[in-house]
Amino acid sequence: MTWRRVAVVGAGAFGTALALVAARAGCAVILWGRDSQHMQRLAETRENATHLPGAHLPTSILATPDASRVGGADIVLMAVPAQATRAALRALSGHLRTGAPVVACAKGIERGTGKLQSSIIAELVPDAVSAVLSGPGFAEEIAAGLPTAVTIASVDMAVAERLCASLSTDAFRPYASDDLVGVELGGAIKNVLAIACGIVAGRGLGESARAALIARGLAEMMRLGVTLGARPETFMGLSGLGDLVLTATSRQSRNLAFGTAIARGESLRDLLADGAPLVEGALSAGIAAELAVRHGVDIPIVAAVAALVEGRVGVDEAIAGLVNRPLRRETD
Amino acid sequence: MTWRRVAVVGAGAFGTALALVAARAGCAVILWGRDSQHMQRLAETRENATHLPGAHLPTSILATPDASRVGGADIVLMAVPAQATRAALRALSGHLRTGAPVVACAKGIERGTGKLQSSIIAELVPDAVSAVLSGPGFAEEIAAGLPTAVTIASVDMAVAERLCASLSTDAFRPYASDDLVGVELGGAIKNVLAIACGIVAGRGLGESARAALIARGLAEMMRLGVTLGARPETFMGLSGLGDLVLTATSRQSRNLAFGTAIARGESLRDLLADGAPLVEGALSAGIAAELAVRHGVDIPIVAAVAALVEGRVGVDEAIAGLVNRPLRRETD
């Protein structure tokens, strides 16, 4: 049995791409956003010209700013930015169908609370089965129907599998997992590592250094994750390694661009100012480094990014932390 | 205690870069090649203008075609192409110091015999401790002194650690491992996966598909490796994941370029003809696929590349095997 009525919360690029996926999988889709003008334009033009130009929205997608329409859905995909999830769930309060799975599709740790997306969902919608969709996927590529494989995780494996079956098409392949912590943590840490890769790229340190950083960074992600109860194999999968490779090697990544800008001497204060594009990895670095200290885990690359972002070290000192590790056995 | 006298066999780009590394680490270096004219030019101009232009060879590097000089070295680094290792060792027969470690620095499975490099060394120099140097490193970047981290593996961990200490500089960081099988197998399989990534790139299937392929490909590498006695963590390290990421995302990779060319419709026969540049991954694919069948391991991406290279399927059918996996749990 698959779910046939899907609500997507957030009508940016990724939300619109997910609405297209659900429609192609045969679902009736409510695409909800707060901005009534934006939603009206989507409904009239059948296109999200602002965020995802070129993709035609079929009639099975209803674009609306009416929160009550979300209540008609069997499952809810949360596709607003990670820092806006709490506000969006508040706006939908009282409108969600009781017990409907709520799937976090954004990645990131909440500023102030340090909470992962699934914890915010659990806090605000306690009766929902919370789940996470994560993996290497660009909205533009998903919308264009290019092959994309992602992980959908829930503590209830049957829910994860049913979500996968509901959203699967020939091009969009979700794989089920019950390792919610591992999938979410991978999504948060990979942004930190992308900043590190950006720093190495910005200083012209070469492709070999970046590849080594990805390998050693994945090991850090895994060490921290396993300590927090995740399974090691999750980090080797789509939501861990897959997403890390995409974020750390693609010019489309905001975290990578941020690292590159720092390494080229741009001002940290300007890059992190209010109003500048939010860099999830800069936010997650400190929280992850703190978690690692609390649990006695050694994650030097993440710690170097955190120290840099917090202004405790300069770029050169951070780079020394990234590439000049002492000689040890690799698996230490 | 470190070794101070190093011989590098093979004066191509990578051999010359390794000679520079050893010299920078304070060693006296014999750089040996068969072509006496080439070696004489190196000795006279202090530059390998043919393969690694721009890098100055210090006087601590002796470039020579005289095989007897190799016998003065404490350790021997084999840096000829994988298919030429046997011939080079024959040329050096009787000249190697008894018991000196011989380190395979090329990656690939020998055509005809299906042997990994360390097995060829063990066969031809039975009294040597064989070792392998592998990881993400381009000759040009190493020569330029950019940070590079690699793995050096030997069944004798003390030898691996001493090799690391002997060749280590601030920029060149070797890590010791005793998982010889895992390191060598990773080096061979990553070339096959780079072909798969090239096919996906050549057909314009997007960065998400490539990232997913890298994650799922690494899982295949690990499944086969563990069956053959390697340790899983080796594949997550520099010689596995690190080298895979470099090879599968860099335009400098011959295997990637080969996959791209096939996907764009170039003739397989022309690409694999005698005289064309040797594509290690095309050679390794069939051997790896065969090993997997024999051991009952499922490695569909490698199998798809093997079938394509052997002309059993066309590009479209191979791509279906690469990206359209059936819905399953990710860790199956």
Side-chain angles (χ1 to χ4, degrees):
Chain A
M1 272 292 293
T2 57
W3 284 298
R4 298 290 79 190
R5 293 175 303 177
V6 173
V8 178
V9 172
F14 201 63
T16 307
L18 287 175
L20 286 166
V21 162
R24 288 169 190 160
C27 300
V29 182
I30 304 292
L31 177 59
W32 180 83
R34 295 188 90 152
D35 180 342
S36 52
Q37 282 193 331
H38 177 56
M39 298 316 292
Q40 199 179 332
R41 260 196 312 276
L42 259 65
E44 283 170 12
T45 62
R46 311 308 306 166
E47 186 192 8
N48 187 342
T50 322
H51 301 113
L52 197 66
H56 173 77
L57 307 182
T59 52
S60 53
I61 298 177
L62 175 70
T64 176
D66 179 357
S68 72
R69 301 302 298 264
V70 173
D74 305 317
I75 58 178
V76 180
L77 308 183
M78 297 298 299
V80 296
Q83 304 305 324
T85 298
R86 183 177 293 272
L89 286 174
R90 284 204 178 118
L92 296 171
S93 170
H95 294 302
L96 299 180
R97 177 184 293 252
T98 305
V102 176
V103 186
C105 304
K107 293 152 199 169
I109 301 178
E110 193 181 34
R111 198 202 298 256
T113 66
K115 284 193 171 185
L116 290 166
Q117 299 292 297
S118 66
S119 305
I120 302 170
I121 295 171
E123 182 190 331
L124 272 78
V125 198
D127 68 359
V129 184
S130 70
V132 175
L133 183 155
S134 186
F138 285 132
E140 295 71 17
E141 295 187 356
I142 293 170
L146 294 179
T148 303
V150 300
T151 302
I152 297 181
S154 168
V155 286
D156 185 338
M157 190 63 168
V159 168
E161 287 179 335
R162 196 168 165 194
L163 285 165
C164 288
S166 304
L167 297 173
S168 170
T169 70
D170 276 354
F172 189 82
R173 317 294 294 177
Y175 290 81
S177 162
D178 60 2
D179 187 4
L180 195 66
V181 173
V183 169
E184 278 200 288
L185 204 70
I189 304 288
K190 61 113 190 173
N191 287 328
V192 183
L193 299 174
I195 293 177
C197 288
I199 294 169
V200 162
R203 279 289 166 99
L205 295 179
E207 296 185 72
S208 307
R210 186 183 64 182
L213 205 52
I214 289 174
R216 300 192 67 79
L218 184 75
E220 290 192 11
M221 187 194 277
M222 189 176 294
R223 269 202 297 277
L224 180 61
V226 168
T227 306
L228 299 175
R231 278 204 305 274
E233 59 267 30
T234 300
F235 299 100
M236 299 189 45
L238 296 164
S239 62
L241 169 61
D243 211 359
L244 171 60
V245 166
L246 184 64
T247 308
T249 65
S250 169
R251 276 182 230 124
Q252 295 189 43
S253 161
R254 190 181 289 167
N255 292 285
L256 190 74
F258 170 80
T260 307
I262 298 180
R264 291 189 175 150
E266 288 189 35
S267 144
L268 199 59
R269 190 173 299 184
D270 292 352
L271 290 168
L272 294 178
D274 287 347
L278 190 71
V279 182
E280 287 292 350
L283 217 59
S284 304
I287 300 170
E290 211 181 281
L291 270 174
V293 169
R294 203 186 310 156
H295 289 87
V297 185
D298 188 30
I299 52 172
I301 297 171
V302 172
V305 173
L308 181 66
V309 167
E310 291 160 10
R312 287 184 279 117
V313 302
V315 174
D316 290 327
E317 204 179 330
I319 284 177
L322 298 179
V323 299
N324 296 339
R325 302 289 314 284
L327 273 198
R328 295 199 313 194
R329 300 187 187 194
E330 195 181 349
T331 50
D332 279 356
Chain B
M1 273 292 293
T2 56
W3 285 298
R4 299 288 80 191
R5 294 175 301 176
V6 173
V8 178
V9 172
F14 202 63
T16 306
L18 287 175
L20 286 166
V21 161
R24 288 169 191 161
C27 300
V29 183
I30 303 293
L31 176 59
W32 179 83
R34 297 188 89 150
D35 180 343
S36 51
Q37 282 193 331
H38 176 56
M39 298 317 292
Q40 198 178 334
R41 260 195 312 276
L42 259 65
E44 282 169 12
T45 62
R46 310 309 305 166
E47 187 193 6
N48 187 341
T50 323
H51 300 114
L52 197 67
H56 173 77
L57 307 183
T59 52
S60 52
I61 298 177
L62 174 73
T64 175
D66 178 358
S68 71
R69 300 302 297 263
V70 173
D74 305 315
I75 57 179
V76 180
L77 308 182
M78 296 299 299
V80 296
Q83 305 304 325
T85 298
R86 182 177 294 272
L89 286 174
R90 284 204 178 118
L92 296 171
S93 170
H95 294 302
L96 299 180
R97 176 185 293 253
T98 304
V102 177
V103 186
C105 304
K107 294 153 198 169
I109 301 178
E110 193 181 34
R111 199 202 297 256
T113 67
K115 284 194 172 184
L116 290 165
Q117 298 293 298
S118 65
S119 305
I120 302 171
I121 294 171
E123 182 192 331
L124 272 79
V125 198
D127 69 358
V129 183
S130 71
V132 175
L133 182 155
S134 186
F138 284 132
E140 294 72 16
E141 295 187 355
I142 293 171
L146 293 179
T148 303
V150 300
T151 303
I152 297 181
S154 168
V155 286
D156 184 339
M157 190 64 168
V159 168
E161 288 179 335
R162 197 169 165 193
L163 284 166
C164 288
S166 304
L167 296 173
S168 171
T169 70
D170 276 353
F172 189 82
R173 317 293 294 178
Y175 290 81
S177 162
D178 60 2
D179 186 4
L180 194 68
V181 173
V183 169
E184 278 201 288
L185 204 70
I189 303 287
K190 61 112 192 176
N191 287 329
V192 183
L193 299 173
I195 294 177
C197 288
I199 295 169
V200 162
R203 278 290 165 100
L205 294 178
E207 296 185 72
S208 307
R210 186 183 65 182
L213 204 53
I214 289 174
R216 301 192 66 78
L218 184 74
E220 291 191 10
M221 188 194 276
M222 189 177 294
R223 268 202 299 276
L224 181 61
V226 168
T227 306
L228 298 176
R231 278 203 307 273
E233 60 266 31
T234 300
F235 300 100
M236 299 189 44
L238 296 164
S239 61
L241 170 59
D243 210 359
L244 171 60
V245 166
L246 183 64
T247 308
T249 65
S250 169
R251 277 184 229 123
Q252 295 189 44
S253 160
R254 191 181 288 167
N255 292 285
L256 191 73
F258 171 79
T260 307
I262 298 180
R264 291 190 176 152
E266 288 188 36
S267 144
L268 198 60
R269 190 172 299 182
D270 292 352
L271 290 168
L272 294 178
D274 288 347
L278 190 72
V279 182
E280 287 291 350
L283 216 60
S284 303
I287 299 170
E290 210 180 283
L291 269 174
V293 169
R294 204 186 310 155
H295 290 87
V297 185
D298 188 30
I299 53 171
I301 297 171
V302 173
V305 173
L308 181 65
V309 167
E310 290 160 9
R312 287 184 279 116
V313 302
V315 174
D316 291 327
E317 204 178 329
I319 285 177
L322 298 179
V323 299
N324 297 337
R325 303 287 315 285
L327 273 198
R328 294 199 313 194
R329 301 186 186 193
E330 195 182 349
T331 50
D332 279 357

